Amino acid sequence: MSLEEKVAQLKIAEGVQVPAGAVFVNEVTGQDTEGYGSQEKPFQTPAYAVFKAGTEEIFVLKDGQYEKISASALKKAKKGADGLVKKAEKAIKAAEQLAQREAEEAKRLEAAKQIVITEDKSLPEAQKIKILKGAEFREKRVVTQGWIHRLRVQKGLVFIVLRDGTGYLQCVLSGDLANAHQTSTLTRETTVALYGTLKEVPEGKSAPGGHELVVDYYEIIGLAPHGDDAFSNKIAEDTDPSILLDQRHLALRGESLSAVMKVRAAFLKAIRQCYEEEGILEATPPCMVQTQVEGGSTLFSFDYYGEEAYLTQSSQLYLETLVPALGDVYCVQESFRAEKSHTRRHLSEYTHIEAELGFVTFDDLLAHLERLLCNTVDKILADPVAGPLVKQLNPNFKVPARPFKRMQYIEALEWLNEHGIPNEEGEKFKFGDDIAEAAERKMVDTIGVPILLTRFPLEIKSFYMKKCHDDPRVTESVDVLMPNVGEITGGSMRIDDHDELLEGFKRENIDPAPYYWFSDQRKYGTFPHGGYGLGTERILAWLCDRYTVRDCSLYPRFTGRCKP
Ligand code: 4AD
């Protein structure tokens, strides 16, 4: 039976008089806002019936028949109706207020649209500055261009933190500048030119550089999107790391990533200065090569006009050939490794700093490495831009004390076995085992200071490493280990005897023919020499306390990622 049919069957209780204007309530099927109070379309609650119809003649459905409401139920209904009246009054008031606000907003918008931002030509001409140089221009009228890094509107004032790559500047817009419609369209990452006077911030308030720009005029150079495409929707704190990598071009604008990249620039500058002080010359070996250095399994090969060629794994062999021509040399060059595993410290492309030093002993090489690393770090910390950034990224960073702790491979095995750290097979370490990443990091993290780990066995190192005089099972090799990262540098003395080098090729199953230019060094005036390679991203991960080397590379390349 339909609802209508059921309603039609409802009867008025016998003997009950229904006066004109009476209303009906069905607490089961009635509806308050939709109902009319008629028998066919009754209200649902007595309270609503009183509220809506204003009558006490209310008939309520009980046991299939309408009966007049009882005195007690009517009393309750009246109370309920009072509540409904108050609620309705409140709703009306809220609607009125909303309408008023909308009207005011429309008026404000209209007024805002009338405001034309113009430059007061009677003001002194603004000098164009970079934010970093701000302190030199206090109390002067300047113009600075950059990106809106942060934006906040508060009581008729607009606060902008401007970023220009050299720093951050707090800027304040007030009066017409704050109220203008143009200002309400500003978004994060919009580019602007802000004109105004640089004022020292009052005591107790802080701002980057200790001053703020009191803006008197500004221009929009490029408006960044609103809505779904807005910068804050593309890059948020909790964005998935792989999405952040897709949006790397935007993520690099963030404070931490850009700080690491600035420290990176300072690192490269500092290490070049250190090489200059040591009298070591910069060289630029090729990236496209036909020889391997660190094992065939990590070579990236490509078709070079029909011949097989590789992206360089290391410039070491080329640097070795340069020593007789140019003296001690170094290079800052991309190296490429087809590393299949995803780890915190492996990239497919990294910036490799390598050096070759002639007529040195193994001890000279170790002392040089210590000096180079400490002097480079000292210079970075003394740099006015990078020094504070390192402190900000890694507040607990301390310059390592010299001399670094020295440990032989064999002593490391004892240490690992004593501390219950197993080898890759889950067993105790034995001579000849590789110390894999996890064990190495556990050791250096526990010891807590940089370690020069030396004298690795022949079989686990590369073909070119020189054997120790006192123990031909091991090589004059060194890995520099840093807490939190592990190996940041690998180096060794090089075999300088021609026949011994050929043995090395044989041991590693490498055809010596393509290496004639390298082997020739041992024929045409051989000399004792050694060198090393430093992983830029690994040093930065240590210095800036980053979890992974990916955070230390502009556009990191690793398995599965070669974009953007
Ligand atoms: O220990 P490696 O493989 O040594 C060489 O390539 C030598 N030929 C260098 C030389 O003596 N001239 O690499 C040297 C350093 C490592 O200590 C590490 O810091 C870094 O290069 N490195 C990597 N960094 C990031 N991703 C990778 N896949 C890396 N492989 C090595």
Side-chain angles (χ1 to χ4, degrees):
M1 190 187 300
S2 73
L3 189 63
E4 284 74 23
E5 287 167 331
K6 276 188 191 161
V7 167
Q9 281 187 351
L10 297 174
K11 296 261 177 313
I12 296 178
E14 228 170 279
V16 169
Q17 294 291 314
V18 178
V23 290
F24 295 86
V25 169
N26 181 339
E27 288 173 322
V28 181
T29 62
Q31 283 183 323
D32 279 347
T33 45
E34 299 289 311
Y36 299 121
S38 64
Q39 224 176 310
E40 293 75 23
K41 276 199 153 188
F43 293 127
Q44 190 186 18
T45 63
Y48 197 83
V50 175
F51 166 68
K52 191 77 203 232
T55 174
E56 294 184 7
E57 297 296 345
I58 295 168
F59 289 80
V60 183
L61 189 72
K62 251 192 190 158
D63 302 327
Q65 291 188 322
Y66 279 110
E67 284 176 13
K68 184 146 193 232
I69 192 166
S70 69
S72 63
L74 183 63
K75 200 171 159 196
K76 208 168 138 199
K78 281 179 173 170
K79 224 169 153 190
D82 285 348
L84 287 171
V85 168
K86 282 194 188 118
K87 211 165 141 189
E89 282 170 354
K90 236 175 159 174
I92 290 166
K93 208 163 161 196
E96 281 170 1
Q97 281 172 347
L98 181 69
Q100 195 182 345
R101 272 205 305 276
E102 280 174 355
E104 279 168 12
E105 181 56 24
K107 217 164 120 191
R108 194 198 58 73
L109 193 68
E110 205 37 56
K113 281 183 180 160
Q114 301 305 318
I115 301 174
V116 182
I117 297 180
T118 48
E119 186 175 9
D120 179 351
K121 294 290 180 194
S122 68
L123 292 171
E125 198 179 331
Q127 214 171 326
K128 195 163 155 182
I129 64 155
K130 290 282 183 194
I131 292 172
L132 186 65
K133 300 272 180 208
E136 296 168 25
F137 294 88
R138 293 233 176 116
E139 299 303 326
K140 301 231 168 72
R141 189 161 184 265
V142 298
V143 52
T144 181
Q145 291 158 314
W147 293 261
I148 295 182
H149 188 66
R150 260 179 263 137
L151 181 69
R152 184 163 55 93
V153 182
Q154 188 189 316
K155 291 187 202 139
L157 295 173
V158 174
F159 294 94
I160 289 174
V161 174
L162 193 72
R163 188 187 73 240
D164 75 346
T166 75
Y168 301 94
L169 177 65
Q170 180 165 298
C171 310
V172 194
L173 279 64
S174 58
D176 270 2
L177 286 179
N179 295 329
H181 178 249
Q182 165 183 319
T183 306
S184 67
T185 66
L186 294 178
T187 48
R188 269 181 73 187
E189 295 307 319
T190 287
T191 32
V192 285
L194 300 176
Y195 295 70
T197 308
L198 268 174
K199 299 263 184 202
E200 200 172 334
V201 286
E203 223 168 279
K205 292 207 167 160
S206 73
H211 45 235
E212 63 184 11
L213 186 72
V214 179
V215 179
D216 58 51
Y217 171 65
Y218 84 93
E219 287 154 3
I220 296 176
I221 299 168
L223 200 61
H226 283 269
D228 285 350
D229 256 358
F231 184 81
S232 41
N233 284 331
K234 296 252 170 184
I235 299 287
E237 292 260 304
D238 53 354
T239 307
D240 185 81
S242 78
I243 294 176
L244 281 179
L245 281 167
D246 288 341
Q247 303 295 338
R248 188 70 164 183
H249 56 300
L250 300 179
L252 281 168
R253 301 179 181 199
E255 282 167 40
S256 298
L257 258 183
S258 63
V260 174
M261 297 312 149
K262 284 183 184 177
V263 176
R264 187 182 160 105
F267 165 74
L268 292 172
K269 182 171 141 192
I271 201 160
R272 282 190 160 106
Q273 278 172 357
C274 289
Y275 280 125
E276 178 145 18
E277 285 163 15
E278 299 257 343
I280 302 174
L281 199 73
E282 180 163 6
T284 48
C287 266
M288 297 193 242
V289 299
Q290 289 191 308
T291 43
Q292 55 145 301
V293 189
E294 299 299 333
S297 68
T298 59
L299 280 175
F300 275 111
S301 61
F302 65 96
D303 180 84
Y304 187 79
Y305 307 113
E307 280 182 56
E308 187 176 34
Y310 315 112
L311 295 176
T312 185
Q313 287 175 313
S314 158
S315 301
Q316 175 193 326
L317 307 193
Y318 290 94
L319 289 182
E320 286 190 48
T321 69
L322 294 178
V323 178
L326 307 173
D328 296 347
V329 279
Y330 78 95
C331 69
V332 178
Q333 177 79 288
E334 296 299 284
S335 275
F336 303 87
R337 305 278 171 107
E339 306 274 5
K340 308 288 180 310
S341 53
H342 276 257
T343 80
R344 282 162 62 168
R345 65 180 199 188
H346 285 97
L347 293 167
S348 304
E349 174 179 353
Y350 70 98
T351 304
H352 204 173
I353 299 176
E354 296 180 272
E356 274 313 303
L357 314 178
F359 305 104
V360 287
T361 63
F362 187 42
D363 272 340
D364 293 339
L365 182 69
L366 299 185
H368 161 85
L369 264 174
E370 266 174 1
R371 213 166 47 238
L372 181 82
L373 288 169
C374 291
N375 289 349
T376 302
V377 169
D378 281 343
K379 284 190 198 310
I380 297 169
L381 295 182
D383 183 282
V385 174
L389 291 177
V390 172
K391 285 213 176 69
Q392 178 190 314
L393 294 162
N394 190 2
N396 299 322
F397 182 78
K398 283 192 199 77
V399 183
R402 268 187 276 174
F404 289 179
K405 183 181 173 60
R406 293 178 190 207
M407 202 178 194
Q408 295 186 13
Y409 164 83
I410 200 101
E411 294 166 338
L413 298 193
E414 281 164 20
W415 190 99
L416 290 163
N417 287 338
E418 275 165 20
H419 287 78
I421 299 167
N423 68 9
E424 296 242 83
E425 283 80 46
E427 291 162 5
K428 278 197 160 202
F429 275 96
K430 55 187 184 314
F431 186 84
D433 282 349
D434 205 6
I435 304 175
E437 181 173 339
E440 179 190 273
R441 206 166 42 230
K442 249 185 200 159
M443 183 175 79
V444 64
D445 285 356
T446 311
I447 294 172
V449 291
I451 300 171
L452 293 178
L453 191 58
T454 60
R455 291 165 70 98
F456 288 89
L458 209 60
E459 311 79 57
I460 61 168
K461 285 293 181 184
S462 306
F463 67 90
Y464 52 76
M465 290 193 183
K466 192 171 174 144
K467 290 180 208 153
C468 292
H469 298 295
D470 57 346
D471 183 355
R473 293 180 309 153
V474 293
T475 52
E476 288 190 320
S477 50
V478 58
D479 278 2
V480 183
L481 313 184
M482 291 300 184
N484 186 40
V485 185
E487 181 200 329
I488 61 161
T489 301
S492 75
M493 293 302 289
R494 319 305 192 188
I495 294 174
D496 49 33
D497 179 79
H498 191 266
D499 293 342
E500 199 183 329
L501 182 65
L502 291 183
E503 274 171 38
F505 282 128
K506 204 166 163 195
R507 192 185 70 237
E508 300 299 322
N509 281 325
I510 301 171
D511 173 11
Y515 293 81
Y516 72 94
W517 52 274
F518 172 67
S519 312
D520 265 3
Q521 301 310 310
R522 281 78 186 162
K523 267 204 233 166
Y524 297 90
T526 193
F527 59 105
H529 64 288
Y532 54 86
L534 257 101
T536 300
E537 293 75 10
R538 291 203 190 166
I539 290 193
L540 288 170
W542 164 66
L543 193 61
C544 301
D545 192 25
R546 296 298 96 182
Y547 177 75
T548 155
V549 289
R550 293 177 193 177
D551 288 346
C552 305
S553 166
L554 283 172
Y555 288 95
R557 267 75 178 106
F558 50 90
T559 335
R561 180 166 292 274
C562 196
K563 59 171 190 191

